[in-house]
Amino acid sequence: KSKAKLYDKTNIHVTFSDVAGLHEAKQEVEEIVHFLKNPSKYTELGGKIPKGALLVGPPGTGKTLLAKAVAGEAHVPFFSLSGSDFVEMFVGVGASRVRDLFRQAKEKAPCIIFIDEIDAVGRARGKGNNFSGNDERENTLNQLLTEMDGFGSNSGVIILAATNRADVLDSALLRAGRFDRQIYVDLPDLNDRKEIFLVHLKPLKTDKTVDVEFLARQTPGFSGADIANVCNEAALIAARSDKSFVDKDDFMSAVDRIVGGLEKKNKITT
Ligand code: ATP
């Protein structure tokens, strides 16, 4: 049985308005939304829609969020799986999971398949480390390539995948008719950080000491996920001191905490 989680159109509530910044990336996926909503238009005119697009960028920048928003905007089902879910110790399990996933998706077309961390399964063949799961991973990758080639470009199944390591991917995945489009999802600049703060401040009760411009300036290098964390931490800090509003000091403490956490993470990885 495939572990793919099926969200149907009634429970994907994410739309483009939840995705702050990422203006170019949003523009690029808009064509996919349009296709999913009007598939016959494309077939009538003889156009070929790309089968898939690869979302490339650092962790926490909104790749998953953007993929969900495509499904939410188009009101289509969203099948999501992580590349690491495919990679199993038992021979044949990964490949059969891939088969299951595509079978389910074809039944529900038009729809989106989202594969997070595609690098876990899509690393260049023959170049991986030597642990025993490697052949199994290659089988899984081969199955994925077979499935992608096996349906027509107008079948209504669009495959989005995410990675922060496009450089390690097997070139076969990037060939025409597979993930032939790459969409960059970068860390937010000052203005994008303001927009992301605006989204994540919305549910909070803040007082007037809280200024978006100031917060954006205090958080260079933060991802969207880091900013979401800051907002949540600030609310927790304020609640702990029994305040009725979240104020600037709470945000400053939250930023310090997140910076501390990021520094620790970087120390471990370097
Ligand atoms: P990873 O590579 O770690 O899987 P990702 O790029 O898929 O990360 P998401 O999982 O989409 O990142 O982001 C995590 C959370 O961070 C989102 O659910 C959202 O709350 C927040 N976030 C990230 N980017 C944005 C953004 N551009 N606008 C609004 N919120 C964002």
Side-chain angles (χ1 to χ4, degrees), residues 17-22 57-66 68 114 116-117 162-164 185 188 192 195-196 199-200 223-229:
S17 66
D18 298 301
V19 187
L22 304 183
T61 44
K63 298 183 288 299
T64 305
L65 192 67
L66 185 65
K68 271 191 191 158
F114 176 63
D116 201 3
E117 293 178 61
T163 183
N164 35 52
V185 177
D192 291 341
E195 292 183 25
I196 298 172
V199 166
H200 291 281
S223 68
D226 296 332
I227 291 173
N229 258 336

Side-chain angles (χ1 to χ4, degrees), residues 155-195:
S155 71
V157 180
I158 299 271
I159 311 161
L160 298 176
T163 183
N164 35 52
R165 297 291 318 271
D167 55 313
V168 303
L169 291 182
D170 198 293
S171 57
L173 271 173
L174 309 175
R175 221 164 275 155
R178 294 170 183 161
F179 294 109
D180 44 8
R181 286 203 183 178
Q182 299 198 17
I183 298 175
Y184 290 92
V185 177
D186 270 328
L187 282 172
D189 63 14
L190 178 73
N191 206 44
D192 291 341
R193 291 199 300 279
K194 270 201 259 181
E195 292 183 25

Side-chain angles (χ1 to χ4, degrees), residues 41 92 119 129 139 165 171 245 258:
K41 177 121 222 167
D119 41 291
N129 44 23
N139 288 340
R165 297 291 318 271
S171 57
F245 294 93
I258 306 290

